[in-house]
Amino acid sequence: MGKKLLMKGNEALAEAAIRAGVKGYFGYPITPQSELLEYMATNLDSRGGVFLQAESEVAAINMVYGASGTGTRVMTSTSSPGFSLMQEGISYMACAELPCLLVNVVRGGPGLGTIQPSQGDYFQAVKGGGHGDYKLIVLAPNSVQEMADLVYLGFDLTDKYRNPVLILADGALGQMMESVEFPEYNVEEHFVDHSSWTTVGRENGREQHYITSLHLLSEKMEEINVHLQDKYKKIQENETRFESIQTEDADILIVAFGLSSRSSQKALELAREQGLKVGILRPITLFPFPSDELKHLANSVKGILVVEMNAGQMVEDVRLAVGSNVPVDFYGRMGGMIPQPDEIVDKIKDLYKQVKI
Amino acid sequence: METTREGIVCNNLDQMDVVFDRTEVLHDTPTSYCPGCSHSVVHRLIMEVIEELGILGDTIGVAPVGCSVFAYHFMNVDMQQAAHGRATAVATGIKRVLPDKIVYTYQGDGDLAAIGTAETIHTINRGENIVMIFINNGIYGMTGGQMAPTTLEGDVTSTTPHGRDTLIQGHAIKITEMAAIMDGAYYVTRQAVNSAKTVRKCKKAIKQAFQNQIDGKIGTNFVEVVSNCPSGWKMTPIEANKKIDEQVLDYYPLGDLKTPPKGA
Amino acid sequence: MNEELIIAGFGGQGVLSMGMTLAYAGMVEDKQITWFPSYGPEMRGGTANCTVIVSDTIVSSPIISTYDTAIVLNQPSLEKFESKVKPGGTLIYESNTVLNPPTRKDITVYAIPAAIEAGKIGNAKTMNMIILGAFLSKKPLVSVKSIMEALSKVLPERNHHLLPINEKALKLGMSLIK
């Protein structure tokens, strides 16, 4: 580990990406992620990469597509409305199996919404987002340190699976400062050879490579879909990541990701002070979702409270995982509001009454 | 008696001189284009240029959405298929990370001058060092003959059944003229392929565009090819090529719109 | 030790940089810290605030609804945050700008005429350091040395000639609360 630095989440993410060997960044300004773009503009060119401000998010994602097709480590970042604009391009990349790192520093919607933090893009992130059957690998940091750490993981996973990886952050994680240490990361050791499929010119007359997501024959298109689904299954089996906090003796399990997991952690401390046995399961990968761990915990806890900064999105995946084995309650704030720890504690107490512990 | 690759039966083939052959940079496959369509001609010209310039090992093409969506099945070069309108953004991504490679896009009028207008303008405005080949046939061929941004006033299409009315559908867009006024453009020209003479000139222009990129000239090389669409226009190829001479070139006159200053 | 602090005032009063300096100094002393700013259009000439948490243990939530200390540099901020100070907590306000003082009796209130004092030492922009000094004299979370090390990081190189006057302001602030 290097020395500690005080950085905004957006800056830490950008710095980590440069250290992870990103060679192309294409983006468009939007609050609350613009520091990321600006950090790249200031630093990437002098450290061996290419920065370009695109004319739109639509152009940016397609620049990423082009650069990725050459086997270059490449990324973009945006915030919610911009992420919606990128969906078409992301769907194409998912089908053409192009690696890239995407970052959505989520703000409150729908519409132009607010620039304040939100988790309202959960469905869009984990259920595909654009047209067709596809999935992104979705990583959800909950601190400035993880804004950096998950970048390295993200690049490794996108190269390993040839699947776009999304870091789903939010406005608060992007804007807040915490101390961060950048781990040692040897880019060459993590290098993945993509030369069997990249489009860089038919050097020495080798056979043609082309990148496409168009397969008009249904039989062929189904074959590609089956291949993608097999890949997602493999990812589900091998790449699920989560953090458990005091779940061993918990009566009530909070499930929360990203910033709301931080509020929940404070709520856990307050609740434990009052003798309430609360634990937290924090998914770090939203796809793949830690369904098996949830199923397992549903055997020991008496109630589950899902805390989100939206109207209730991840709660659907929690209910899918645990079925009717245990009551699942939800607490959410919307439109840029953040669930406060004391509000969560009140909700925990309600749930305690409900499950009659 | 022998049979050639094209299946023509000849006598004493080994005693004959080969005066014309398909460039190896074209796949040995029939194209999916309609008889008489300009696409096939322009494909061949670009591939010949790539072969003649010896840049096959360094060239990456970008195919659009439109009739030429399968360009990579005919052009035997490394290619990426782009989303509708985004070919130049994709090309920008490629060229920016591999500045020493040769990158071109191949786009129709719907792709380049309607849905992709923003990308077109900004790519040229940035002066991306790429070649843009713009096939202007005044109609949406692939989707079955709807109005294109370049459909001439009065022309009947499936979405202008009474002819294009400029008060309702606006004017045929002159995007090549727009390209020419931008500082980022290095070479802007309008060509056609409706006669042997125009085909020869067009090839020269395409070659110049690629040569400029090879030479590292700063700026975008933009070649419009006024093309036909016999099926979409509901004409025979001969009638379609005649229409180009009699009507289309009045509105879209041929020639260079921007050439590098002498000595550049 | 776990101090949860809100600093609020007009944009341009040095609210965010005061918080950042404190956070940086906390990091210098190997404490766990979080700095969370208000952001966006509201900052353009409007009110700005930041939450700073300095702790010996891991900082759980950067988002909190009540504070151990509120430092307020204008009237709207006082009105917004006076009620959010925990009972027994501390409220420090700039007494030249805030004309209607706080009324709560269950918290400790300090009025610091920092704007006038900053004028006296010849640099109005050191007002935030005077306030920070006053705060640190009551809650010595970090040392003056760490603050100065932090300032040398937070201030751009071209402003390093201002380090001495900032140190002077900091120490002046510490002397204002007896």
Side-chain angles (χ1 to χ4, degrees):
Chain A
M1 299 291 268
K3 66 177 175 102
K4 272 192 197 173
L5 299 167
L6 183 66
M7 292 179 110
K8 283 191 170 192
N10 284 335
E11 296 166 342
L13 198 156
E15 175 61 29
I18 296 174
R19 288 172 187 241
V22 72
K23 288 285 175 276
Y25 174 96
F26 304 92
Y28 187 80
I30 183 169
T31 307
Q33 69 80 45
S34 294
E35 294 83 1
L36 214 167
L37 177 91
E38 289 163 354
Y39 195 94
M40 288 297 185
T42 309
N43 296 289
L44 187 55
D45 287 358
S46 62
R47 291 165 69 182
V50 173
F51 165 85
L52 186 63
Q53 179 171 331
E55 63 269 30
S56 67
E57 286 90 350
V58 175
I61 191 67
N62 285 284
M63 290 173 185
V64 168
Y65 179 108
S68 173
T70 69
T72 305
R73 219 163 228 206
V74 63
M75 71 177 290
T76 186
S77 64
T78 185
S79 179
S80 307
F83 196 58
S84 292
L85 276 174
M86 290 183 179
Q87 291 306 321
E88 184 199 28
I90 295 169
S91 168
Y92 282 49
M93 293 187 81
C95 183
E97 300 196 85
L98 292 176
C100 69
L101 185 70
L102 310 166
V103 180
N104 181 0
V105 182
V106 182
R107 54 191 253 181
L112 204 45
T114 167
I115 57 172
Q116 300 305 320
S118 165
Q119 296 175 333
D121 300 355
Y122 176 89
F123 280 151
Q124 187 187 38
V126 306
K127 308 287 180 191
H131 58 285
D133 274 324
Y134 73 91
K135 283 184 182 297
L136 307 175
I137 298 172
V138 184
L139 308 176
N142 83 339
S143 64
V144 173
Q145 182 64 52
E146 273 194 358
M147 288 286 268
D149 292 346
L150 294 184
V151 168
Y152 301 95
L153 176 66
F155 275 123
D156 288 346
L157 291 177
T158 197
D159 274 339
K160 182 175 175 187
Y161 292 100
R162 281 187 64 185
N163 200 72
V165 170
L166 168 66
I167 293 187
L168 191 74
D170 66 66
L173 288 168
Q175 294 297 321
M176 73 188 202
M177 282 183 150
E178 291 179 324
S179 62
V180 54
E181 287 176 79
F182 294 97
E184 294 295 329
Y185 182 90
N186 185 327
V187 175
E188 273 155 36
E189 279 171 20
H190 291 253
F191 174 79
V192 174
D193 183 6
H194 292 304
S195 63
S196 64
W197 58 268
T198 51
T199 55
V200 293
R202 291 178 52 205
E203 283 152 347
N204 306 318
R206 68 135 164 80
E207 93 224 13
Q208 178 194 30
H209 293 170
Y210 62 81
I211 290 163
T212 187
S213 62
L214 178 72
H215 308 280
L216 288 183
L217 277 177
S218 298
E219 291 82 357
K220 175 72 180 163
M221 197 64 225
E222 186 179 50
E223 202 179 288
I224 283 169
N225 269 279
V226 167
H227 164 71
L228 290 177
Q229 295 303 322
D230 285 349
K231 179 168 82 172
Y232 303 147
K233 205 170 152 230
K234 205 177 289 171
I235 292 169
Q236 180 81 49
E237 281 162 8
N238 297 313
E239 305 300 345
T240 307
R241 286 166 172 82
F242 56 85
E243 182 189 14
S244 298
I245 304 167
Q246 293 184 263
T247 50
E248 303 79 16
D249 66 340
D251 292 326
I252 302 294
L253 180 72
I254 297 177
V255 185
F257 71 95
L259 187 71
S260 50
S261 74
R262 298 284 293 269
S263 298
S264 299
Q265 203 171 327
K266 182 81 178 175
L268 176 148
E269 288 164 16
L270 298 171
R272 289 258 168 188
E273 279 168 22
Q274 300 172 38
L276 305 174
K277 288 184 185 166
V278 176
I280 295 177
L281 180 78
R282 172 173 78 94
I284 296 172
T285 51
L286 299 178
F287 177 79
F289 192 68
S291 304
D292 289 344
E293 180 63 15
L294 264 169
K295 256 178 238 163
H296 166 70
L297 286 169
N299 295 326
S300 60
V301 301
K302 305 200 171 51
I304 293 178
L305 175 64
V306 180
V307 179
E308 297 179 74
M309 284 147 58
N310 57 40
Q313 299 190 20
M314 182 178 69
V315 65
E316 292 191 5
D317 288 329
V318 173
R319 287 192 172 120
L320 267 178
V322 304
S324 54
N325 290 351
V326 60
V328 176
D329 206 349
F330 171 74
Y331 183 68
R333 297 293 302 267
M334 291 167 281
M337 298 300 288
I338 299 168
Q340 299 292 327
D342 48 353
E343 298 166 2
I344 300 171
V345 173
D346 289 346
K347 203 68 193 171
I348 291 168
K349 288 179 183 164
D350 285 352
L351 189 54
Y352 254 94
K353 273 180 224 153
Q354 206 182 307
V355 299
K356 299 193 180 74
I357 299 168
Chain B
M1 198 151 78
E2 295 177 50
T3 305
T4 66
R5 191 169 48 212
E6 284 75 23
I8 302 163
V9 178
C10 300
N11 290 312
N12 305 324
L13 187 66
D14 53 347
Q15 290 166 23
M16 298 172 87
D17 292 333
V18 176
V19 292
F20 178 80
D21 201 0
R22 174 185 56 80
T23 163
E24 291 296 323
V25 189
L26 273 173
H27 277 287
D28 187 6
T29 182
T31 70
S32 52
Y33 303 118
C34 307
C37 174
S38 305
H39 271 306
S40 313
V41 180
V42 184
H43 275 33
R44 199 192 82 213
L45 296 185
I46 300 169
M47 294 307 101
E48 286 176 356
V49 163
I50 288 172
E51 183 176 47
E52 288 164 20
L53 293 172
I55 54 173
L56 178 60
D58 289 315
T59 300
I60 302 136
V62 182
V65 169
C67 282
S68 49
V69 67
F70 283 124
Y72 47 85
H73 287 335
F74 317 125
M75 301 178 175
N76 194 3
V77 295
D78 273 9
M79 289 196 84
Q80 295 195 18
Q81 200 281 314
H84 197 21
R86 318 300 166 218
T88 63
V90 170
T92 298
I94 299 169
K95 186 71 180 180
R96 289 281 174 146
V97 297
L98 297 178
D100 297 333
K101 300 285 179 178
I102 305 301
V103 180
Y104 72 94
T105 65
Y106 185 95
Q107 299 173 269
D109 39 45
D111 200 85
L112 182 142
I115 194 169
T117 309
E119 283 78 4
T120 298
I121 298 293
H122 284 281
T123 299
I124 301 168
N125 192 51
R126 285 190 303 266
E128 297 295 342
N129 294 326
I130 62 170
V131 172
M132 295 171 67
I133 307 287
F134 168 36
I135 305 299
N136 174 8
N137 62 9
I139 202 152
Y140 281 65
M142 190 201 209
T143 45
Q146 296 84 6
M147 182 189 72
T150 47
T151 297
L152 296 184
E153 182 176 1
D155 276 5
V156 172
T157 71
S158 66
T159 51
T160 55
H162 309 295
R164 183 175 191 157
D165 180 344
T166 57
L167 290 178
I168 297 170
Q169 287 102 4
H171 303 269
I173 197 167
K174 292 182 170 170
I175 203 152
T176 306
E177 279 76 0
M178 291 161 70
I181 64 164
M182 282 191 283
D183 292 343
Y186 185 78
Y187 173 50
V188 179
T189 186
R190 179 181 287 125
Q191 302 292 330
V193 286
N194 65 332
S195 67
K197 197 174 147 200
T198 51
V199 168
R200 277 196 299 275
K201 276 187 135 175
C202 183
K203 181 172 172 184
K204 228 177 122 191
I206 291 171
K207 199 164 185 176
Q208 185 62 54
F210 275 90
Q211 189 64 53
N212 291 341
Q213 189 181 172
I214 293 166
D215 292 346
K217 303 294 187 193
I218 308 293
T220 307
N221 296 284
F222 187 99
V223 182
E224 173 180 343
V225 185
V226 176
S227 302
N228 64 22
C229 181
S231 300
W233 294 357
K234 302 190 181 0
M235 291 177 177
T236 66
I238 291 170
E239 287 167 350
N241 284 341
K242 218 164 138 197
K243 175 183 161 84
I244 290 178
D245 275 331
E246 289 171 358
Q247 289 175 28
V248 185
L249 297 185
D250 276 352
Y251 193 80
Y252 290 121
L254 300 183
D256 292 341
L257 285 83
K258 183 172 185 181
T259 50
K262 288 246 168 355
Chain C
M1 184 269 293
N2 181 52
E3 175 76 10
E4 299 174 340
L5 172 74
I6 179 100
I7 307 172
F10 290 121
Q13 281 181 312
V15 166
L16 299 185
S17 60
M18 190 198 314
M20 208 183 290
T21 306
L22 179 61
Y24 207 109
M27 188 179 75
V28 167
E29 297 191 4
D30 240 0
K31 295 181 163 64
Q32 300 293 322
I33 46 103
T34 289
W35 172 90
F36 179 59
S38 60
Y39 61 89
E42 67 172 294
M43 286 167 59
R44 318 250 190 275
T47 58
N49 70 66
C50 62
T51 305
V52 180
I53 303 174
V54 182
S55 178
D56 290 330
T57 55
I58 192 162
V59 178
S60 46
S61 178
I63 311 299
I64 40 182
S65 40
T66 57
Y67 307 94
D68 297 312
T69 301
I71 295 176
V72 294
L73 304 185
N74 67 4
Q75 195 70 46
S77 299
L78 179 75
E79 275 149 28
K80 190 166 175 189
F81 292 111
E82 181 180 355
S83 63
K84 305 278 174 70
V85 179
K86 291 175 193 167
T90 304
L91 191 154
I92 297 174
Y93 70 100
E94 205 295 306
S95 55
N96 303 119
T97 324
V98 175
L99 299 177
N100 302 319
T103 53
R104 273 177 68 179
K105 301 287 178 236
D106 61 337
I107 55 176
T108 311
V109 174
Y110 298 101
I112 310 292
I116 285 183
E117 294 293 331
K120 279 188 202 163
I121 62 169
N123 188 330
K125 288 198 162 174
T126 60
M127 188 266 274
N128 61 347
M129 283 300 120
I130 293 175
I131 292 274
L132 182 59
F135 166 72
L136 287 173
S137 74
K138 285 290 120 189
K139 301 225 171 164
L141 305 177
V142 293
S143 69
V144 173
K145 186 169 161 280
S146 301
I147 290 282
M148 291 316 295
E149 188 180 334
L151 261 182
S152 72
K153 295 283 174 10
V154 171
L155 277 180
E157 200 86 28
R158 62 176 187 280
N159 290 338
H160 275 197
H161 64 284
L162 296 172
L163 286 173
I165 196 163
N166 274 288
E167 184 164 9
K168 193 173 167 189
L170 193 67
K171 287 178 173 161
L172 173 64
M174 296 181 101
S175 69
L176 290 177
I177 299 183
K178 292 291 176 290

